[in-house]
Amino acid sequence: MARLGSWIESHPEGIYVRPADAWIDPSQPKPRAWITHGHSDHARGGHGAVLATTETLAIMQCRYGPQAGQPIPYDETIRVGEVDVRFVPAGHVLGSAQIVLEHQGERVVVSGDYKRRPDPTCACFVPVPCDIFITEATFGLPVFRHPDTGGEIDRLLHRLHADPSRCVLVGAYALGKAQRIITELRARGHRDAIYFHGAVERLNQLYQQFGVDLGELRHTASATKQEMAGHVVICPPGALNDRWSRRLPDPVTAMASGWMRIRQRARQRNVELPLIISDHADWDELTMTIREIEPTEVWITHGREEALKHWCMTHQIKACELNLVGYEDEDE
Ligand SMILES: [Zn+2]
Ligand SMILES: [Zn+2]
């Protein structure tokens, strides 16, 4: 009998689904690409035919211009070559999906990036039982346990209210994290206008077009220092320490990322208020998900694979690492 999943090949530039002649999240331009979500380490420009959710295609169009893309709604199965393909919510960012593949009675799920805790900006992760679960492991170490999101948002609000002459400047990745911070603030009852850096504007608009309510937003370019005092300002992480922030009223520098668990990372970026808010599964979410899905095999991609592999083996699940290149943690 053939090895389980022998029709799926792992190459440095991505996962190749042979009976469909298609690549998943390839790092090089390919004639047929299936894209899990819009982050630039997964969704690149220059492919031939792209298959992705409507939201992901819209994000790709926003970043790379018109796409030769076919939108696929969640949970709809289509046949490509000899493979049945279905996109299922991954709970990572707007439009993010796991890709479920079926071929000759075997089911393989490619998780893409995912998380299990609720996120007001996207559909919740759906566990799909399968033979092979190909999982990310960005935070695949037991030290990574993300705290409750509401508690982190409360720390932000507490700091904001402590000194109304200052603003709190939050560094958050422009796709997903920025909009999530805004909606989490709204969920905690924060109704004031939130200011944003120009680099976040187009994605804010895209989220709003897809029905995500972000409340009152204002561009920092059209505001005075005084107006922004006592307000939250959102910018991409790269803008936290650049000249641009000098026009803000004495900012308290904050950053929202799973990496803020590591003090040294916060210090490197001169972050005064580290907020541990992640769009990736932490250790408990990774292991809980594998327990729930009960796959025969787990294949582990980008991240700290070793510990999760060991955990799988101690739970009688066969596990291996895939050495894919080009996946960064820029979305965190
Ligand atoms: Zn991502
Ligand atoms: Zn990723």
Side-chain angles (χ1 to χ4, degrees):
M1 203 179 86
R3 178 178 60 83
L4 202 58
S6 59
W7 45 283
I8 304 263
E9 295 170 15
S10 151
H11 295 261
E13 70 261 45
I15 291 164
Y16 179 59
V17 185
R18 197 168 10 83
D21 190 23
W23 292 80
I24 296 178
D25 293 353
S27 58
Q28 303 291 325
K30 297 290 178 190
R32 187 179 283 152
W34 298 345
I35 306 298
T36 59
H37 67 287
H39 281 140
S40 55
D41 53 334
H42 294 258
R44 305 198 187 230
H47 299 306
V50 172
L51 183 64
T53 61
T54 311
E55 295 88 343
T56 297
L57 271 180
I59 292 163
M60 290 175 76
Q61 252 147 25
C62 177
R63 296 188 143 174
Y64 308 120
Q67 297 291 307
Q70 179 190 348
I72 180 167
Y74 284 131
D75 302 320
E76 191 177 298
T77 302
I78 61 164
R79 190 155 182 104
V80 181
E82 295 159 32
V83 181
D84 286 323
V85 193
R86 178 159 57 107
F87 283 51
V88 171
H92 178 56
V93 295
L94 181 74
S96 66
Q98 312 169 68
I99 302 183
V100 181
L101 309 163
E102 301 201 38
H103 175 68
Q104 290 179 348
E106 281 177 14
R107 185 188 289 159
V108 177
V109 174
V110 181
S111 78
D113 292 344
Y114 69 98
K115 69 174 175 293
R116 301 302 304 270
R117 47 194 86 202
D119 175 341
T121 69
C122 62
C124 266
F125 179 96
V126 175
V128 178
C130 56
D131 301 297
I132 299 176
F133 184 51
I134 304 183
T135 183
E136 66 130 322
T138 304
F139 293 112
L141 282 175
V143 298
F144 291 113
R145 289 198 160 91
H146 308 323
D148 172 62
T149 312
E152 296 298 282
I153 296 293
D154 285 347
R155 289 203 301 123
L156 194 173
L157 287 170
H158 183 78
R159 196 60 181 269
L160 181 73
H161 298 144
D163 189 348
S165 70
R166 305 180 70 183
C167 70
V168 176
L169 174 62
V170 185
Y173 190 68
L175 167 56
K177 191 66 65 66
Q179 297 77 24
R180 180 168 170 220
I181 298 300
I182 295 168
T183 53
E184 296 280 10
L185 279 162
R186 300 310 187 200
R188 295 312 258 194
H190 186 70
R191 296 273 163 270
D192 297 351
I194 294 173
Y195 288 85
F196 61 86
H197 181 284
V200 185
E201 183 170 29
R202 287 208 301 171
L203 287 159
N204 282 348
Q205 288 168 349
L206 191 142
Y207 269 63
Q208 286 165 322
Q209 281 160 20
F210 280 100
V212 178
D213 184 7
L214 301 177
E216 189 189 351
L217 301 180
R218 291 184 194 155
H219 202 305
T220 51
S222 47
T224 64
K225 226 179 216 196
Q226 237 171 11
E227 284 169 342
M228 291 186 277
H231 287 268
V232 174
V233 182
I234 310 270
C235 72
L240 273 183
N241 298 307
D242 77 13
R243 286 177 57 87
W244 166 85
S245 64
R246 290 189 206 160
R247 44 191 314 277
L248 304 177
D250 191 15
V252 175
T253 305
M255 165 107 177
S257 163
W259 298 114
M260 290 298 105
R261 168 66 78 200
I262 302 172
R263 280 173 186 281
Q264 202 187 344
R265 292 242 190 172
R267 254 186 263 121
Q268 273 165 4
R269 286 186 180 268
N270 296 314
V271 170
E272 233 180 290
L273 179 65
L275 302 169
I276 307 170
I277 300 178
S278 175
D279 284 329
H280 291 269
D282 68 4
W283 176 256
D284 292 332
E285 292 169 68
L286 290 170
T287 54
M288 169 184 87
T289 302
I290 295 169
R291 274 181 210 273
E292 215 176 326
I293 292 177
E294 294 186 313
T296 309
E297 288 185 23
V298 173
W299 297 0
I300 308 164
T301 70
H302 65 307
R304 277 120 291 270
E305 292 99 352
E306 213 32 66
L308 193 59
K309 190 172 136 183
H310 181 79
W311 182 92
C312 287
M313 316 246 268
T314 60
H315 290 76
Q316 279 73 51
I317 300 167
K318 216 174 138 189
C320 67
E321 300 159 36
L322 301 186
N323 294 309
L324 306 175
V325 297
Y327 292 113
E328 290 123 30
D329 49 47
E330 58 127 28
D331 53 333
E332 267 300 298

